[in-house]
Amino acid sequence: MKKLINATDDVVVEALQGMEHAHPSLKVVYEPKYVVRGDAPVSGKVGIISGGGSGHEPMHGGFVGMGMLDAACPGEVFTSPTPDQMLEATKAVDGGAGVLHIVKNYTGDVLNFEMAAELAAADDIDVEAVVIDDDVAVQDSSFTAGRRGVGATVLAEKICGAAAEAGRDLAAVKELCERVNANGRSMGMALTSCTVPAAGKPTFELGDDEMEIGIGIHGEPGRERRPVATAAEVAKMLVDPILTDLPYAEGEKALVFVNSMGGTPLIELYIIYNEVAKILAEHGIEVARNLIGPYITSLEMQGCSVTLLKLDDEMTELWDAPVNTPGLRWGA
Amino acid sequence: MANGTTVTVDDLVAWVHRFSEVITEHADELTQLDSAIGDADHGTNMRRGCRAAVDALAAAEPGDITGFGRAIAMKVISTVGGASGPLYGSFFLALGTTGGSASEMDAAGTVAALKAGVEAIRTRGKAEPGDKTMLDALLPAIAAMEGSLDNGGSLADALQAGTTAAEEGMRATIPMLARKGRASYLGERSIGHQDPGATSSWLLVRSAAETLAA
């Protein structure tokens, strides 16, 4: 294992210390761990919290700031954070208008956020939770943990953050979050595995000439393993299942999010984006907005994911609203 | 020390010490199992959580069963993370609540407390037998303990029977199709792998047999 670290046990804390130095507008609390807006709680504003295992940077800590998250709870690498973190973060951002928990659908995240919500309720804080489950690679059935939460999480955090900033109430922000989830679909792929620092070895083995289609952001296996293909073929393998799952009528608008798993460079993301745009054009889908880059990563994994969000005017307007976070910034 | 008929708070603390030792010994194996069908962190997380639990018990010096359960549960929940934290945390919390404000439990009381812990895992995780989870080791273990006591067995007999049943239950997860947690994403590909949660649960029962009625 080759990594720029000091000690495997110190990875999460030292990365937080770096963030704290780099972004004075944020406050980092270490016991228990969470990253919070320096001006929290914002009086009268719905607070928005997310959290999850570390290793997906900039998600979630990099999305804390004006117009997006109020706080983020980082767990160990690929491990859910714990209810004590979520409870303290919830208290820290409660400006009197309640707090929304945006939870990615993984068993650990869901169980820990459930416990945190129970604890917060006992402290008389109004908490609502929305579970994001946009990964079409997983067959949605009662016989699995359900679809994983992936790319749509970033879009939900941005859009809901803007709504909260605009003064909408908790019920409205929650409804919007559910709407983003209902209209967002993602599919990912990997060219290489990644190595969790504490494990020291690649999470899975993938041959030099193989790729995994439908990979999860923790290296969970996907739908199938197959020989590497061209960017055009890969784009089709990612977009087709999305459009099968959530068909678009001609002329409908989409936000296209092409995400790097961490190890894939921007030059390749643009090639994929180009192919995705061609496919969408064939279907008569208008690409109204896009986001291209590493936003929800899986350590150093090479690969990408594509998320399509079917946009309405309200979501588009909130997407365009100012945001000022380490990981996403415009208009501010 | 236990005399074979009652379990004291000190015995429970010794159980957690022993569990922490065996988890540390088996941490790499647990992580290896988890990398096959999960996210390769079960051993690391359990080792971190068990060590913290040992420290928390030393600091809390619980005087009764409820205090023991509470001290370890909050620590496990706040240090293990993942799904295992809330699940094992709920186990100890319910075990302590059932044990109550007494400072010791008899054989039937001990098995009842263990059973309450396992039921709490079932409620929190919403899993059923056969889903390829911790419960596939724990539910047979509790049934075997109850059966042993019903047949006039001692607590030592019951815990031994529970350990054997937990081990069999753990092995029985190998051909199962996972229906909960990250392993469920694998579908058919989860078949042929032993469940890491069932494995740490077997170690939990085995540690109990080694300490509670020693």
Side-chain angles (χ1 to χ4, degrees), chain B residues 1 8 15 18 23-24 28 30 42 89 188-189 193 200:
Chain B
M1 272 310 287
T8 64
W15 170 31
R18 180 64 191 143
I23 283 292
T24 299
D28 288 346
L30 292 171
H42 191 54
E188 300 284 332
R189 284 199 270 175
H193 298 280
S200 61

Side-chain angles (χ1 to χ4, degrees), chain A residues 76 78-80 82-84 105-108 111-112 114-115 118 138 143-146 148 198 201 203 212 218 221-222, chain B residues 32 35 39-41 44-45 48 77-83 86-87 90 124-126 178-179 181-182 184-186 189:
Chain A
E76 292 297 320
F78 291 2
T79 298
S80 167
T82 54
D84 52 326
N105 190 31
Y106 298 96
T107 305
L111 294 186
N112 282 283
E114 270 176 18
M115 291 191 92
E118 289 167 17
V138 178
F143 298 115
T144 68
R148 302 175 290 232
K201 285 177 287 199
T203 303
E212 180 93 21
H218 311 91
Chain B
Q32 205 57 46
S35 76
D39 55 352
D41 63 2
T44 321
N45 293 342
R48 182 179 59 246
I77 289 167
S78 66
T79 53
V80 175
L87 293 171
S90 299
R124 176 66 61 190
K126 302 174 186 79
R179 292 181 171 179
R182 275 187 192 153
S184 70
Y185 304 135
L186 282 160
R189 284 199 270 175

Side-chain angles (χ1 to χ4, degrees), chain A residues 57-103:
Chain A
E57 291 69 21
M59 189 183 76
H60 295 278
F63 299 142
V64 174
M66 193 282 291
M68 216 161 164
L69 296 177
D70 290 271
C73 305
E76 292 297 320
V77 173
F78 291 2
T79 298
S80 167
T82 54
D84 52 326
Q85 294 171 265
M86 298 158 183
L87 176 63
E88 290 309 314
T90 299
K91 288 183 195 165
V93 307
D94 178 30
V99 179
L100 179 70
H101 290 175
I102 299 181
V103 186

Side-chain angles (χ1 to χ4, degrees), chain B residues 50-123:
Chain B
C50 286
R51 285 179 180 166
V54 166
D55 293 345
L57 287 172
E61 294 184 24
D64 59 33
I65 315 283
T66 300
F68 160 83
R70 202 165 280 167
I72 181 170
M74 294 321 290
K75 206 61 195 178
V76 165
I77 289 167
S78 66
T79 53
V80 175
S84 309
L87 293 171
Y88 276 115
S90 299
F91 170 84
F92 283 108
L93 200 59
L95 182 153
T97 306
T98 303
S101 57
S103 59
E104 56 180 45
M105 299 183 283
D106 62 11
T110 302
V111 172
L114 291 169
K115 183 177 187 173
V118 172
E119 286 303 321
I121 290 178
R122 188 178 190 158
T123 306

Side-chain angles (χ1 to χ4, degrees), chain A residues 177-195:
Chain A
C177 196
E178 288 167 342
R179 205 189 321 158
V180 172
N181 187 47
N183 287 285
R185 295 286 189 282
S186 300
M187 181 86 169
M189 61 80 62
L191 293 169
T192 63
S193 182
C194 56
T195 298

